[in-house]
Amino acid sequence: MEYGCTIAVAAMPQEQPQAINLRDADRWHQTFNSGRESLAGVKVNHKSVVGYPAFWRGVNLLANGVSGLPIDVFEREGEADRVIAKQHPAQKLIRRLASPIQHARQFQKTMQGHALIFGNGFAWIERAGPMNTGKPVAMWVMDPQQMLVRFIDGELWYCTAICGEQKKLPGRDVLHIAGLSHDGIVGYSALDTFREALGLGIAAQQFGSRFFGQGANMGGLLMVPGHFDEEKIRNTMAAWGKMAEGMQNSHKVALLQDGAKFIPTSIDPNAGQFNETRDFEVRAVIANILGVP
């Protein structure tokens, strides 16, 4: 292969890492993008967690805070004094424009957000000159879900896909912001480490949406005496759904004829401690995961 990296181990820590061929695009997508289902019955991936308001707020709070901190390149003057190295090529990248399309503050915010969600933030350092060997001229945010890290011949290498082409980048050309880590190199992904905790909160949110979308009416069994043919069953269920579902039909009175009975099978939100569950998820779980008040 052109870049000499035919086999790589997934960057996210796993109990039993499996080798993934860099040519296997389907495995890449399955491993990094789809998200596994939690025991609560919902998939936990980057799209579902950023749609969870408490998690979104916590990540935004921290990412905005970090991006607002002053960052400069310094150089020594004498034994103890230091001054800002205004002429250093990296100073422009971290203070003004990280790349032609991204301001330095937005770059820092994005990198910190990736580190909080995926455990790692990656950026390719573009350099001037032939073979990308000169001074840094831009930093480009990379997708942490499509980055594989290998330690080869005493050096870290980052394998990824750029514009559909697989690349092997040396560690000196990659800015890597890692969170808490098992090996000190690759950070733990919050999506993997806290899948069940996040899944419970997302499931509670989805339950609330479905509950009110059904007009705050619970599901159940519609029992009728005798035997209905298939057409009458379809007509009866359609009429019941039209009458009972939707916010516009909430709290309406139903008229059941011919001995029909409705037996609720759903758990009442109060009995299921729905509000308590959502409150606990926000106050305890998300606060503990992200370390915010």
Side-chain angles (χ1 to χ4, degrees), residues 191-210:
L191 302 184
D192 292 332
T193 308
F194 302 106
R195 173 173 288 105
E196 301 306 331
L198 292 170
L200 179 58
I202 295 171
Q205 176 178 283
Q206 292 181 359
F207 171 81
S209 297
R210 286 193 298 269

Side-chain angles (χ1 to χ4, degrees), residues 95-123:
R95 287 294 283 180
R96 295 193 295 275
L97 289 175
S99 71
I101 63 171
Q102 194 169 54
H103 191 273
R105 180 163 182 172
Q106 183 61 38
F107 171 83
Q108 294 157 15
K109 181 179 179 179
T110 303
M111 290 286 286
Q112 181 63 36
H114 283 178
L116 290 168
I117 298 173
F118 305 104
N120 303 275
F122 300 99

